[in-house]
Amino acid sequence: MLKHEILSSITNTKVVAVIRGNSAEEAVELSKAAIEGGIRAIELTYTTPQVQKAFEALYGADVLLGAGSVLDAETARHAILAGAKFIVSPHFEETIAPVCNRYGIPYLPGCMTIRDMVKAMEAGCDIIKLFPANNFTPSFIKSVNGPLPQVRVMPTGGVNLDNIGEWLAAGAVAAGIGSDLNKAYTAGGYNAAVELTKEYVQKSNQ
């Protein structure tokens, strides 16, 4: 896929499932539940032990696979070679951007300040991850888009069923969800994660 096609896939799907497994096997199960529930973009985090096994197990699935919790350029390259189509960090790391640009892969860095957002855009980042989003309200996007109308924001961290609609209505191009899926899976297993995902997909399309 070309970079603009990957970006379009993220913005069209609106919901990115952030998968943090206690093992690669759990990450695969959570991912499959999210896919069955209608999610079309998944971020496999590098906090998951042996996460490459999860990439291998999900290769060929009908989903856009990305990598999260990427802290440095070496990890970014590893993820891209493992099949990641987009790279996500909790912060903006200058050394990651050139690697992603070299391979034509979108880099979505976590930013909280205008300064970080501008630096990220100057490095070629097309979507900014607002993280952690629970420190903000959806109106923050409008405030940012005043001086920076070209910034496209994806809130992550603190997004839930009650506020995802507000974030999208406020101008978020997509939203990252994660902890809710883990909680549903822990409490009710695979089927519970599937049903919760369906609710998120439904909310995002209202």
Side-chain angles (χ1 to χ4, degrees), residues 13 15 17 30-40 160-161 164 168 177 180-181 184 189-206:
T13 194
V15 183
L30 276 165
S31 298
K32 288 181 176 178
I35 294 168
E36 186 173 330
I39 292 284
R40 290 293 168 261
N160 54 48
L161 280 175
I164 187 171
L168 293 172
I177 61 166
D180 275 6
L181 279 181
Y190 182 89
N191 290 333
V194 172
E195 292 306 312
L196 181 61
T197 302
K198 288 179 179 178
E199 291 186 64
Y200 269 107
V201 172
Q202 184 178 14
K203 285 271 189 180
S204 69
N205 289 318
Q206 288 178 350

Side-chain angles (χ1 to χ4, degrees), residues 153-170:
V153 176
M154 183 180 80
T156 304
V159 176
N160 54 48
L161 280 175
D162 294 328
N163 64 25
I164 187 171
E166 294 178 44
W167 279 109
L168 293 172

Side-chain angles (χ1 to χ4, degrees), residues 12-177:
N12 288 338
T13 194
K14 296 181 183 176
V15 183
V16 178
V18 182
I19 304 297
R20 296 186 187 280
N22 292 316
S23 65
E25 292 75 20
E26 183 176 280
V28 171
E29 283 295 294
L30 276 165
S31 298
K32 288 181 176 178
I35 294 168
E36 186 173 330
I39 292 284
R40 290 293 168 261
I42 284 175
E43 174 190 327
L44 293 171
T45 66
Y46 264 73
T47 54
T48 300
Q50 297 180 308
V51 69
Q52 186 167 341
K53 289 184 178 180
F55 276 102
E56 292 169 357
L58 293 168
Y59 182 80
D62 183 22
V63 68
L64 184 71
L65 276 182
S69 300
V70 176
L71 304 182
D72 49 52
E74 293 82 4
T75 306
R77 184 173 184 273
H78 180 273
I80 292 167
L81 295 179
K85 297 302 181 185
F86 60 96
I87 299 296
V88 186
S89 296
H91 67 309
F92 171 60
E93 172 51 55
E94 293 179 355
T95 62
I96 292 176
V99 175
C100 292
N101 291 335
R102 188 177 301 134
Y103 288 95
I105 297 294
Y107 174 37
L108 288 62
C111 298
M112 282 196 293
T113 67
I114 295 293
R115 178 181 175 84
D116 278 351
M117 291 178 186
V118 171
K119 289 178 68 176
M121 286 192 301
E122 289 173 348
C125 299
D126 296 279
I127 296 176
I128 303 299
K129 180 176 81 164
L130 178 63
F131 179 79
N134 55 5
N135 282 350
F136 302 90
T137 62
S139 64
F140 180 73
I141 295 177
K142 184 178 180 181
S143 299
V144 169
N145 285 156
L148 299 173
Q150 69 274 38
V151 170
R152 295 193 285 174
V153 176
M154 183 180 80
T156 304
V159 176
N160 54 48
L161 280 175
D162 294 328
N163 64 25
I164 187 171
E166 294 178 44
W167 279 109
L168 293 172
V173 296
I177 61 166

